[in-house]
PDB file of all heavy atoms in Angstrom:
ATOM      1  N   ILE A 271      41.527   6.097  21.615  1.00 98.00           N
ATOM      2  CA  ILE A 271      42.235   5.177  20.721  1.00 98.00           C
ATOM      3  C   ILE A 271      41.272   4.520  19.748  1.00 98.00           C
ATOM      4  O   ILE A 271      41.609   4.291  18.581  1.00 98.00           O
ATOM      5  CB  ILE A 271      43.044   4.110  21.520  1.00 98.00           C
ATOM      6  CG1 ILE A 271      43.947   3.313  20.563  1.00 98.00           C
ATOM      7  CG2 ILE A 271      42.157   3.216  22.329  1.00 98.00           C
ATOM      8  CD1 ILE A 271      44.867   2.321  21.254  1.00 98.00           C
ATOM      9  N   SER A 275      41.873   5.409  15.842  1.00 98.00           N
ATOM     10  CA  SER A 275      42.268   4.298  14.995  1.00 98.00           C
ATOM     11  C   SER A 275      41.283   4.109  13.839  1.00 98.00           C
ATOM     12  O   SER A 275      41.685   3.908  12.686  1.00 98.00           O
ATOM     13  CB  SER A 275      42.377   3.020  15.825  1.00 98.00           C
ATOM     14  OG  SER A 275      42.891   1.953  15.065  1.00 98.00           O
ATOM     15  N   ILE A 279      43.174   4.988  10.322  1.00 98.00           N
ATOM     16  CA  ILE A 279      43.528   3.795   9.536  1.00 98.00           C
ATOM     17  C   ILE A 279      42.331   2.877   9.301  1.00 98.00           C
ATOM     18  O   ILE A 279      42.470   1.843   8.662  1.00 98.00           O
ATOM     19  CB  ILE A 279      44.687   3.002  10.173  1.00 98.00           C
ATOM     20  CG1 ILE A 279      44.303   2.475  11.563  1.00 98.00           C
ATOM     21  CG2 ILE A 279      45.943   3.849  10.234  1.00 98.00           C
ATOM     22  CD1 ILE A 279      45.333   1.508  12.145  1.00 98.00           C
ATOM     23  N   LEU A 282      39.832  -1.113  14.100  1.00 98.00           N
ATOM     24  CA  LEU A 282      39.761  -1.112  15.565  1.00 98.00           C
ATOM     25  C   LEU A 282      41.128  -1.492  16.137  1.00 98.00           C
ATOM     26  O   LEU A 282      41.821  -2.345  15.559  1.00 98.00           O
ATOM     27  CB  LEU A 282      38.718  -2.101  16.049  1.00 98.00           C
ATOM     28  CG  LEU A 282      37.253  -1.736  15.811  1.00 98.00           C
ATOM     29  CD1 LEU A 282      36.360  -2.940  16.075  1.00 98.00           C
ATOM     30  CD2 LEU A 282      36.848  -0.582  16.703  1.00 98.00           C
ATOM     31  N   PRO A 283      41.521  -0.913  17.252  1.00 98.00           N
ATOM     32  CA  PRO A 283      42.792  -1.345  17.874  1.00 98.00           C
ATOM     33  C   PRO A 283      42.655  -2.747  18.440  1.00 98.00           C
ATOM     34  O   PRO A 283      41.586  -3.134  18.926  1.00 98.00           O
ATOM     35  CB  PRO A 283      42.997  -0.311  18.988  1.00 98.00           C
ATOM     36  CG  PRO A 283      41.614   0.173  19.331  1.00 98.00           C
ATOM     37  CD  PRO A 283      40.848   0.145  18.033  1.00 98.00           C
ATOM     38  N   ALA A 284      43.721  -3.504  18.349  1.00 97.00           N
ATOM     39  CA  ALA A 284      43.729  -4.840  18.956  1.00 97.00           C
ATOM     40  C   ALA A 284      43.680  -4.693  20.473  1.00 97.00           C
ATOM     41  O   ALA A 284      44.126  -3.682  21.032  1.00 97.00           O
ATOM     42  CB  ALA A 284      44.991  -5.591  18.530  1.00 97.00           C
ATOM     43  N   PRO A 285      43.135  -5.681  21.179  1.00 97.00           N
ATOM     44  CA  PRO A 285      43.063  -5.592  22.640  1.00 97.00           C
ATOM     45  C   PRO A 285      44.412  -5.284  23.291  1.00 97.00           C
ATOM     46  O   PRO A 285      44.482  -4.536  24.274  1.00 97.00           O
ATOM     47  CB  PRO A 285      42.517  -6.954  23.052  1.00 97.00           C
ATOM     48  CG  PRO A 285      41.695  -7.395  21.879  1.00 97.00           C
ATOM     49  CD  PRO A 285      42.432  -6.871  20.674  1.00 97.00           C
ATOM     50  N   GLU A 286      45.491  -5.877  22.758  1.00 97.00           N
ATOM     51  CA  GLU A 286      46.817  -5.623  23.330  1.00 97.00           C
ATOM     52  C   GLU A 286      47.224  -4.163  23.156  1.00 97.00           C
ATOM     53  O   GLU A 286      47.838  -3.559  24.058  1.00 97.00           O
ATOM     54  CB  GLU A 286      47.848  -6.534  22.667  1.00 97.00           C
ATOM     55  CG  GLU A 286      47.648  -8.018  22.936  1.00 97.00           C
ATOM     56  CD  GLU A 286      46.560  -8.642  22.076  1.00 97.00           C
ATOM     57  OE1 GLU A 286      46.097  -7.971  21.115  1.00 97.00           O
ATOM     58  OE2 GLU A 286      46.153  -9.789  22.368  1.00 97.00           O
ATOM     59  N   GLU A 287      46.910  -3.578  21.989  1.00 98.00           N
ATOM     60  CA  GLU A 287      47.200  -2.161  21.764  1.00 98.00           C
ATOM     61  C   GLU A 287      46.396  -1.296  22.709  1.00 98.00           C
ATOM     62  O   GLU A 287      46.895  -0.293  23.253  1.00 98.00           O
ATOM     63  CB  GLU A 287      46.875  -1.792  20.318  1.00 98.00           C
ATOM     64  CG  GLU A 287      47.734  -2.468  19.281  1.00 98.00           C
ATOM     65  CD  GLU A 287      47.253  -2.171  17.865  1.00 98.00           C
ATOM     66  OE1 GLU A 287      46.107  -2.531  17.542  1.00 98.00           O
ATOM     67  OE2 GLU A 287      48.023  -1.574  17.097  1.00 98.00           O
ATOM     68  N   LEU A 288      45.129  -1.642  22.890  1.00 98.00           N
ATOM     69  CA  LEU A 288      44.267  -0.892  23.809  1.00 98.00           C
ATOM     70  C   LEU A 288      44.826  -0.920  25.215  1.00 98.00           C
ATOM     71  O   LEU A 288      44.968   0.134  25.877  1.00 98.00           O
ATOM     72  CB  LEU A 288      42.862  -1.499  23.791  1.00 98.00           C
ATOM     73  CG  LEU A 288      41.885  -1.030  24.875  1.00 98.00           C
ATOM     74  CD1 LEU A 288      41.490   0.423  24.622  1.00 98.00           C
ATOM     75  CD2 LEU A 288      40.637  -1.921  24.889  1.00 98.00           C
ATOM     76  N   ASP A 289      45.169  -2.113  25.703  1.00 97.00           N
ATOM     77  CA  ASP A 289      45.665  -2.240  27.084  1.00 97.00           C
ATOM     78  C   ASP A 289      46.950  -1.467  27.281  1.00 97.00           C
ATOM     79  O   ASP A 289      47.131  -0.771  28.287  1.00 97.00           O
ATOM     80  CB  ASP A 289      45.882  -3.716  27.424  1.00 97.00           C
ATOM     81  CG  ASP A 289      44.592  -4.523  27.420  1.00 97.00           C
ATOM     82  OD1 ASP A 289      43.506  -3.896  27.458  1.00 97.00           O
ATOM     83  OD2 ASP A 289      44.665  -5.763  27.359  1.00 97.00           O
ATOM     84  N   ALA A 290      47.871  -1.563  26.301  1.00 98.00           N
ATOM     85  CA  ALA A 290      49.159  -0.891  26.437  1.00 98.00           C
ATOM     86  C   ALA A 290      48.972   0.629  26.435  1.00 98.00           C
ATOM     87  O   ALA A 290      49.636   1.346  27.209  1.00 98.00           O
ATOM     88  CB  ALA A 290      50.087  -1.311  25.303  1.00 98.00           C
ATOM     89  N   PHE A 291      48.084   1.133  25.599  1.00 98.00           N
ATOM     90  CA  PHE A 291      47.880   2.584  25.527  1.00 98.00           C
ATOM     91  C   PHE A 291      47.258   3.108  26.801  1.00 98.00           C
ATOM     92  O   PHE A 291      47.692   4.131  27.346  1.00 98.00           O
ATOM     93  CB  PHE A 291      46.992   2.919  24.330  1.00 98.00           C
ATOM     94  CG  PHE A 291      46.709   4.391  24.190  1.00 98.00           C
ATOM     95  CD1 PHE A 291      47.713   5.257  23.760  1.00 98.00           C
ATOM     96  CD2 PHE A 291      45.477   4.920  24.488  1.00 98.00           C
ATOM     97  CE1 PHE A 291      47.479   6.629  23.634  1.00 98.00           C
ATOM     98  CE2 PHE A 291      45.217   6.278  24.389  1.00 98.00           C
ATOM     99  CZ  PHE A 291      46.217   7.127  23.950  1.00 98.00           C
ATOM    100  N   VAL A 292      46.245   2.424  27.307  1.00 98.00           N
ATOM    101  CA  VAL A 292      45.586   2.875  28.539  1.00 98.00           C
ATOM    102  C   VAL A 292      46.563   2.846  29.711  1.00 98.00           C
ATOM    103  O   VAL A 292      46.548   3.737  30.577  1.00 98.00           O
ATOM    104  CB  VAL A 292      44.343   2.008  28.831  1.00 98.00           C
ATOM    105  CG1 VAL A 292      43.765   2.326  30.198  1.00 98.00           C
ATOM    106  CG2 VAL A 292      43.285   2.225  27.754  1.00 98.00           C
ATOM    107  N   LEU A 303      50.708   8.169  19.663  1.00 98.00           N
ATOM    108  CA  LEU A 303      49.769   7.291  18.973  1.00 98.00           C
ATOM    109  C   LEU A 303      49.385   7.871  17.615  1.00 98.00           C
ATOM    110  O   LEU A 303      49.314   7.156  16.609  1.00 98.00           O
ATOM    111  CB  LEU A 303      48.524   7.085  19.839  1.00 98.00           C
ATOM    112  CG  LEU A 303      47.419   6.224  19.220  1.00 98.00           C
ATOM    113  CD1 LEU A 303      47.907   4.798  18.993  1.00 98.00           C
ATOM    114  CD2 LEU A 303      46.165   6.224  20.091  1.00 98.00           C
ATOM    115  N   ARG A 306      52.207   7.293  15.286  1.00 98.00           N
ATOM    116  CA  ARG A 306      52.350   5.877  14.935  1.00 98.00           C
ATOM    117  C   ARG A 306      51.289   5.442  13.912  1.00 98.00           C
ATOM    118  O   ARG A 306      51.607   4.746  12.946  1.00 98.00           O
ATOM    119  CB  ARG A 306      52.244   5.031  16.201  1.00 98.00           C
ATOM    120  CG  ARG A 306      52.517   3.545  15.974  1.00 98.00           C
ATOM    121  CD  ARG A 306      52.847   2.836  17.276  1.00 98.00           C
ATOM    122  NE  ARG A 306      51.725   2.792  18.207  1.00 98.00           N
ATOM    123  CZ  ARG A 306      51.671   3.501  19.344  1.00 98.00           C
ATOM    124  NH1 ARG A 306      52.674   4.301  19.680  1.00 98.00           N
ATOM    125  NH2 ARG A 306      50.639   3.382  20.138  1.00 98.00           N
ATOM    126  N   LEU A 307      50.063   5.884  14.100  1.00 98.00           N
ATOM    127  CA  LEU A 307      49.004   5.487  13.162  1.00 98.00           C
ATOM    128  C   LEU A 307      49.212   6.129  11.796  1.00 98.00           C
ATOM    129  O   LEU A 307      49.058   5.479  10.759  1.00 98.00           O
ATOM    130  CB  LEU A 307      47.641   5.853  13.740  1.00 98.00           C
ATOM    131  CG  LEU A 307      47.190   5.046  14.965  1.00 98.00           C
ATOM    132  CD1 LEU A 307      45.851   5.556  15.469  1.00 98.00           C
ATOM    133  CD2 LEU A 307      47.109   3.564  14.657  1.00 98.00           C
ATOM    134  N   ASN A 310      51.749   4.375   9.726  1.00 97.00           N
ATOM    135  CA  ASN A 310      51.435   3.040   9.206  1.00 97.00           C
ATOM    136  C   ASN A 310      50.969   3.201   7.758  1.00 97.00           C
ATOM    137  O   ASN A 310      49.776   3.325   7.470  1.00 97.00           O
ATOM    138  CB  ASN A 310      50.349   2.383  10.076  1.00 97.00           C
ATOM    139  CG  ASN A 310      50.117   0.927   9.709  1.00 97.00           C
ATOM    140  OD1 ASN A 310      50.392   0.499   8.592  1.00 97.00           O
ATOM    141  ND2 ASN A 310      49.620   0.162  10.661  1.00 97.00           N
ATOM    142  N   ARG A 584      38.253  -8.819  11.256  1.00 96.00           N
ATOM    143  CA  ARG A 584      39.355  -8.987  12.225  1.00 96.00           C
ATOM    144  C   ARG A 584      38.898  -9.777  13.445  1.00 96.00           C
ATOM    145  O   ARG A 584      39.641 -10.621  13.970  1.00 96.00           O
ATOM    146  CB  ARG A 584      39.899  -7.629  12.662  1.00 96.00           C
ATOM    147  CG  ARG A 584      40.621  -6.862  11.580  1.00 96.00           C
ATOM    148  CD  ARG A 584      41.347  -5.655  12.144  1.00 96.00           C
ATOM    149  NE  ARG A 584      42.620  -6.006  12.741  1.00 96.00           N
ATOM    150  CZ  ARG A 584      43.440  -5.147  13.350  1.00 96.00           C
ATOM    151  NH1 ARG A 584      43.101  -3.874  13.443  1.00 96.00           N
ATOM    152  NH2 ARG A 584      44.574  -5.531  13.861  1.00 96.00           N
TER     153      ARG A 584
END
Side-chain angles (χ1 to χ4, degrees):
I271 189 175
S275 186
I279 62 171
L282 289 168
E286 295 79 12
E287 295 174 299
L288 169 69
D289 295 344
F291 180 72
V292 171
L303 178 64
R306 186 161 66 251
L307 292 177
N310 188 335
R584 292 191 81 183

